[in-house]
Amino acid sequence: MTTDQIILFALFGGVFAFLLWGRFRYDIVAFAALLLGVILGVIPKEEAFAGFGHPATIVVALVLVVSAGLVRSGAVMLITRTMIDAGRGIGSHISIMGGIGAVLSAFMNNVAALALLMPVDIATARKAGRLPSATLMPLSFATILGGMITLIGTPPNIVIAGIRQDHLGQSFAMFDFAPVGLVTAAAGLLFVALIGWRLIPGTGEAQGGGEKDLTSYVAELTVPKDHPRIGKPVSDFSDVAEETGVHIIGLIRDGRRMFGSARHVGLKDGDSLLLEAEPAALDEFRASEGLDFSDDRRMTLLDAADQGLSLVEVVVTDGSRINGRTSQAIGMTWRQRTVLMGIARKGRRITERVRSTNVRSGDILLLLTPTEQVEEVVAWLGALPLADRGLAVTENRKIWPAAALFLAAVIGASFGLVDLTVALGVVVLGYALTRIVPLHELYTHVEWPVVVLLGSMIPLGAALEDAGGTELIAGWLNGIATGQPAWVALLLLMIVTMVLSAILNNTATAIVAAPVGIEMAYALDVDPDSFLIAVAVAASCAFLTPIGHKNNTLILGPGGYRFGDYWRMGLPLTVLILAVALPATLFFWPLR
């Protein structure tokens, strides 16, 4: 071993030791190792920060913004309401979401599949009252498993097909990976759904009640012209209201509250529903049912917002401008382009029209206001803002533009028409220009510690490869395999490839391991296709750390995971993959 190899292996050993210890955050540990590598001379200073411009790092950042856009447009809500039931147990939910993720990953890039499903999973966890950490890692692993089934599902398969073309004169076809990939993916999905999620620290069955602890507001939404429920009774909304956590208090017609809850009264154009709900449930109910904010004039005023809309919660004080008055009386709409969405009042339920209710000191108001003038509106009211809970307004009019942009990017990237990084960049640009994601929010959705982790580890992995560390490992492997049966050599190659994929990017691992596999096959006088298929499976199955696969990196921040959490489910899954994939490879791709 050379001095550089010794230093780099020591750096990686130290990084993993500190990350498993968990005393320091993963981005600090990785960045410190990067700087130490530069100081010790094993990483050229010109390449020290190349990892921050690496496509893998850019993809992770872009995907998080794209996911936010899919949420803001209502596309995620549409998928959640159509396909997902928050009342299911964790195991059933993981089975369904994992199955969907695996199928999608087989026919589109698995990073894009996770980008679509991750916000759906988070929204379902919120509604079920459980932490996203219970289901995000299983979803990530499921999309990785599904990507092994076809040529286009994951980058290592494409890389290995290219290497086969260069060395053997013919590439793999679209479904050559399917026999082994299907068997392996099915076994992995069963494990993840039945056992694997139970191994993640701090997870368990849904506790429920998470949303009920939040402030409930009395709010008012208007039935627009040509609404499909016009002529039907108010009770027709009951199923959706129960599903979203909204309580229908009554009906307002021609400015007057009708007697009782008016459940059996037929709806007319311009009627307003009086509701009680917490902010997220209220927004979901409005967006899913196509209801309006009180009246058309308000919508026109709000459409002029340059940076999008914000939901703001404020407490009314004795000195507030609105204390003892209505929002109409102070001209909140036409003076400040702000809609009073709801009022929360302790001690007595509000039964009047929201905009005609005299506000009292101590009331909590839910305001819908242009983002660029939030501080101005709060100061004008003389109210006290509550802590920001990240409340967002779903702009369901932009569902189809958001979905169309994302779908076009996925198709273009999956069939090689455009690079995935460029495709996602175009989606983010489109979301910004159409204000699906407001400009001021573009960078708030990026998990910067994750970016620093990737940007720091990629140069370390490249330095190890440049210093001959991976070739050294391959040499050790060949030495051990000498004189052993061919299947033993195949098993050793898979194990080493899986270990390398925990340190290097899985695409880089495939580039390193595939030629080694071909040389081992020639030395043993067996068919090299068996070794190439084995490398494809092993390189894709990067379950031990968050840095081996972009999908694992994507969920690190949103799931609140620590670096050492991955191996708890990833290690037994890796052993299972070895036990299933090795005989499947030998059966479908015989050595001789």
Side-chain angles (χ1 to χ4, degrees):
M1 291 178 66
T2 65
T3 303
D4 283 359
Q5 291 171 351
I6 293 172
I7 292 173
L8 284 164
F9 279 122
L11 278 175
F12 271 104
V15 165
F16 282 103
F18 274 100
L19 291 175
L20 291 174
W21 181 28
R23 176 67 176 81
F24 302 100
R25 204 170 67 183
Y26 50 81
D27 55 320
I28 300 300
V29 173
F31 192 63
L34 172 64
L35 296 180
L36 188 57
V38 174
I39 293 170
L40 294 174
V42 293
I43 299 176
K45 61 181 181 180
E46 299 83 9
E47 300 176 14
F49 303 108
F52 291 93
H54 192 278
T57 307
I58 303 300
V59 162
V60 167
L62 291 174
V63 162
L64 292 171
V65 179
V66 169
S67 296
L70 293 172
V71 172
R72 290 292 298 266
S73 68
V76 167
M77 182 185 65
L78 181 64
I79 296 171
T80 305
R81 292 190 64 234
T82 304
M83 304 171 61
I84 306 300
D85 181 1
R88 291 192 182 98
I90 295 181
S92 299
H93 171 80
I94 290 173
S95 299
I96 294 171
M97 285 290 288
I100 295 170
V103 171
L104 287 177
S105 296
F107 298 99
M108 59 191 280
N109 186 281
N110 49 18
V111 177
L114 182 62
L116 177 63
L117 295 178
M118 183 171 70
V120 175
D121 196 69
I122 293 172
T124 306
R126 177 183 60 79
K127 293 183 71 173
R130 62 173 175 252
L131 294 174
S133 59
T135 52
L136 275 181
M137 191 181 295
L139 177 61
S140 172
F141 287 3
T143 55
I144 294 172
L145 289 165
M148 297 188 299
I149 298 173
T150 65
L151 173 66
I152 64 173
T154 186
N157 286 5
I158 298 173
V159 167
I160 287 170
I163 291 174
R164 187 179 192 270
Q165 174 74 46
D166 294 339
H167 286 75
L168 306 180
Q170 186 176 357
S171 173
F172 283 119
M174 179 71 169
F175 295 102
D176 281 349
F177 298 93
V180 178
L182 277 170
V183 172
T184 305
L189 287 171
L190 281 173
F191 170 80
V192 166
L194 298 177
I195 301 171
W197 65 268
R198 303 175 191 274
L199 305 177
I200 305 170
T203 61
E205 288 292 344
Q207 299 298 313
E211 295 188 2
K212 294 185 175 70
D213 298 332
L214 301 176
T215 302
S216 290
Y217 292 88
V218 172
E220 183 183 331
L221 294 174
T222 300
V223 180
K225 184 180 180 180
D226 299 327
H227 193 278
R229 295 194 192 271
I230 287 178
K232 297 180 180 179
V234 174
S235 59
D236 211 43
F237 283 108
S238 296
D239 290 343
V240 179
E242 182 177 354
E243 181 185 338
T244 55
V246 170
H247 180 60
I248 302 175
I249 300 174
L251 182 69
I252 296 171
R253 177 171 293 167
D254 299 326
R256 294 186 178 183
R257 165 78 187 275
M258 300 191 73
F259 180 76
S261 62
R263 287 180 52 82
H264 303 294
V265 176
L267 290 165
K268 291 184 178 181
D269 174 21
D271 284 352
S272 293
L273 296 174
L274 200 61
L275 311 166
E276 187 174 29
E278 60 90 15
L282 181 66
D283 183 66
E284 181 177 351
F285 182 74
R286 175 195 62 80
S288 62
E289 289 302 305
L291 299 173
D292 283 344
F293 301 111
S294 297
D295 62 58
D296 292 337
R297 189 165 68 90
R298 296 183 184 202
M299 290 298 294
T300 302
L301 290 169
L302 291 169
D303 281 340
D306 293 329
Q307 299 179 26
L309 306 174
S310 292
L311 285 171
V312 183
E313 297 171 293
V314 299
V315 180
V316 178
T317 65
D318 290 335
S320 296
R321 183 188 298 267
I322 199 172
N323 185 27
R325 307 169 73 183
T326 68
S327 64
Q328 281 183 319
I330 66 171
M332 185 184 293
T333 303
W334 63 271
R335 288 179 186 273
Q336 297 293 330
R337 294 192 301 164
T338 296
V339 172
L340 176 59
M341 282 285 292
I343 304 174
R345 176 177 294 168
K346 293 183 179 180
R348 188 170 72 87
R349 171 174 282 179
I350 298 167
T351 58
E352 310 161 24
R353 299 201 73 171
V354 170
R355 65 177 187 249
S356 302
T357 299
N358 284 315
V359 176
R360 301 175 180 176
S361 178
D363 286 351
I364 302 176
L365 308 182
L366 181 65
L367 306 176
L368 183 67
T369 186
T371 300
E372 63 265 25
Q373 61 183 76
V374 168
E375 294 182 3
E376 178 186 338
V377 170
V378 174
W380 180 78
L381 281 174
L384 299 175
L386 293 180
D388 183 12
R389 288 198 276 148
L391 302 175
V393 183
T394 301
E395 299 196 53
N396 51 312
R397 294 171 296 171
K398 299 178 179 177
I399 287 179
W400 301 117
L405 270 171
F406 180 73
L407 184 61
V410 168
I411 292 173
S414 296
F415 289 95
L417 303 177
V418 63
D419 181 75
L420 178 64
T421 310
V422 175
L424 290 174
V426 171
V427 175
V428 169
L429 182 62
Y431 284 3
L433 292 176
T434 56
R435 294 190 293 183
I436 292 173
V437 178
L439 285 174
H440 74 282
E441 290 186 11
L442 272 180
Y443 300 107
T444 62
H445 296 291
V446 178
E447 295 284 348
W448 293 108
V450 175
V451 170
V452 173
L453 171 69
L454 265 186
S456 302
M457 293 302 294
I458 287 173
L460 282 166
L464 182 65
E465 187 174 352
D466 292 342
T470 53
E471 292 180 9
L472 183 65
I473 294 172
W476 290 341
L477 185 60
N478 274 320
I480 296 172
T482 301
Q484 299 294 327
W487 69 266
V488 175
L490 196 64
L491 176 62
L492 287 172
L493 177 64
M494 292 183 72
I495 292 173
V496 171
T497 302
M498 286 177 168
V499 172
L500 284 176
S501 70
I503 301 172
L504 304 175
N505 177 276
N506 63 342
T507 304
T509 299
I511 292 171
V512 171
V516 173
I518 292 174
E519 291 301 322
M520 291 177 68
Y522 285 154
L524 295 166
D525 194 24
V526 297
D527 188 349
D529 281 343
S530 304
F531 283 74
L532 289 175
I533 293 292
V535 169
V537 171
S540 295
C541 293
F543 303 121
L544 300 177
T545 70
I547 62 174
H549 198 287
K550 289 188 284 290
N551 284 16
N552 288 347
T553 311
L554 273 174
I555 63 168
L556 182 61
Y561 299 115
R562 296 178 302 173
F563 193 95
D565 290 342
Y566 286 77
W567 70 270
R568 296 173 183 270
M569 180 166 66
L571 182 58
L573 178 57
T574 299
V575 174
L576 174 66
I577 296 301
L578 279 171
V580 172
L582 179 62
T585 301
L586 294 172
F587 179 80
F588 291 109
W589 295 88
L591 291 169
R592 301 185 186 278

